[in-house]
Amino acid sequence: MSTALNGQGQTTNRRSQMIPQISSPSPPPDVERRRNRLPTLNEVLQRQTMAPVDLFSFYIYMRDQQRSVDYLDFWLDVTQHMSLCRHYVRELRRSVLIETPELEKGSKRSSMILDQFTDPNDPAGPSTYKDDTKTSNQQLSAYLRQERQEIGGNNQHSPHSSLGSEQSGARGSGDRAPNAERLPRASFMSNGLQNSITDSNSPAHTVARADLRVSAENILYTYLLPGSEREIILPQGMLNDIIASIEEDGRDDPEVFDAAKDYTFQAMERDAFPGFLRSKALGNLVPPSIFVRRILGLLGLFGGFWAGFALIFLDKPKHIRCWLILPFTIGVYCLASDQYSIDPILALLGFSEYTFMNWSRIREPFVRRLLNKRASMVLACTVLIGVALIVLFIFVPGKRL
């Protein structure tokens, strides 16, 4: 009996040594600090920016304007899968230390190690963005692969009492709205803290190894398999490697999705993010509002020119012609807003539109200064052109036909 206990203790000691002691990356900079530049995509995804260039606004832009929100959702789901894996390893290490308290006595840093896991609510950048983060992720994936081999690939999953099964049931319902009507993620509505995360940055449910398997399969079946409900386009070789790793090799470690995660990050950085910055950092209007202002501007100018020529050829006095101020001001202002995608008055008041007729405060300091300068320039041009038209049609001599 004692020999068996000693053998079990040695096995537990070896297992605890195998669990990677993942070091925490440097803490993110304070989001309140002032930037003298526009943010990068990595800073937006890490929630280090504020409106109108925050992650919520980027999600709305990808959904409504870029029409490729599935790529962003895939990136966020892979990041969430990595967080789930970190929670699993952290809980596993804690359980090992509880079962073998002599390990904690032999190392004063054991309690510190448990706190050195990255915050699951902070999305990491691309897997190759920082060397220390990449090494940490490789250690995590290597441990999960080794543990899977030790347990013989036993991935039987109970449909009850696990976090992954609940997520699987939610995804498997098939009742998903199209991209144009899909609501933003709940995490954006609560400062990045999802309902399944407690104040201690731990899931509300115990994470089992089967949950990691379910999470990896959810990503595969939702985004990657041909004909899936939200299929994204990836290179065929990369796609085949992921399918083989999950379905044939039984892998569920985060490293399986590293290549696809980097690919989607680079695609968003190249194709979507420049347009997002132009839309939010150089303007404060969305396309439907721009179109409405274009129509109002054309109608205003048409009414102003029609009324102006009519008053001139009817030889009306100047105090009656002063009514031309109204259509010309509306027409010039709306067309200037259409041309520069910015409403100068609302921009100076500190508002930016994220959906049609829904406004949010501009909180990013550099963007606020940039929009103030641009709004002042647009407003000056609007006043100059409007005054020129009004003076021309008011003071030109009339002649009755």
Side-chain angles (χ1 to χ4, degrees), residues 82 86 101 232 258 322 353 357:
M82 181 180 296
R86 290 180 180 274
I232 62 175
D258 271 356
C322 287
E353 191 177 32
M357 298 303 293

Side-chain angles (χ1 to χ4, degrees), residues 23 97 120 133 174 177 219-220 229 234 246 251 282 302 324 328 336 343 375 378 394:
S23 60
L97 290 178
T133 303
I219 295 174
L220 176 65
E229 57 176 335
L234 295 177
I246 295 177
R251 292 179 56 185
L282 299 179
F302 174 79
L324 295 175
F328 277 129
D343 189 305
V378 173
I394 289 179

Side-chain angles (χ1 to χ4, degrees), residues 187-209:
S187 60
F188 300 151
M189 300 298 186
S190 57
N191 296 327
L193 296 178
Q194 301 184 15
N195 294 331
S196 60
I197 303 298
T198 63
D199 294 337
S200 60
N201 289 334
S202 298
H205 302 268
T206 300
V207 179
R209 182 58 193 259

Side-chain angles (χ1 to χ4, degrees), residues 218-390:
N218 282 341
I219 295 174
L220 176 65
Y221 298 149
T222 303
Y223 301 102
L224 302 180
L225 288 181
S228 56
E229 57 176 335
R230 301 179 64 185
E231 181 182 3
I232 62 175
I233 306 302
L234 295 177
Q236 191 62 40
M238 183 186 302
L239 187 61
N240 292 338
D241 291 341
I242 296 175
I243 295 175
S245 297
I246 295 177
E247 295 191 336
E248 297 177 9
D249 301 337
R251 292 179 56 185
D252 52 20
D253 54 279
E255 205 172 63
V256 172
F257 302 106
D258 271 356
K261 184 180 179 184
D262 291 345
Y263 181 87
T264 56
F265 182 91
Q266 293 168 6
M268 291 188 295
E269 189 175 41
R270 180 184 63 250
D271 300 332
F273 194 64
F276 170 71
L277 289 181
R278 284 195 300 269
S279 174
K280 298 301 180 181
L282 299 179
N284 67 338
L285 298 176
V286 295
S289 289
I290 295 175
F291 179 76
V292 170
R293 282 166 170 76
R294 183 182 306 162
I295 299 300
L296 292 177
L298 292 175
L299 291 177
L301 280 186
F302 174 79
F305 281 116
W306 179 83
F309 283 112
L311 293 176
I312 290 174
F313 293 125
L314 291 175
D315 195 17
K316 295 296 181 179
K318 294 180 176 59
H319 70 275
I320 296 180
R321 295 191 203 178
C322 287
W323 286 102
L324 295 175
I325 295 176
L326 183 60
F328 277 129
T329 300
I330 294 176
V332 174
Y333 184 87
C334 290
L335 286 183
S337 299
D338 165 60
Q339 179 67 28
Y340 294 98
S341 301
I342 185 174
D343 189 305
I345 294 179
L346 290 175
L348 291 174
L349 292 176
F351 289 97
S352 178
E353 191 177 32
Y354 59 93
T355 57
F356 183 63
M357 298 303 293
N358 290 314
W359 303 86
S360 63
R361 281 282 183 180
I362 302 173
R363 303 187 182 279
E364 185 72 21
F366 181 78
V367 174
R368 178 68 184 270
R369 295 195 300 270
L370 193 62
L371 285 176
N372 284 343
K373 293 179 181 178
R374 189 173 173 85
S376 300
M377 182 269 294
V378 173
L379 194 58
C381 293
T382 300
V383 171
L384 181 63
I385 297 174
V387 169
L389 290 174
I390 292 170

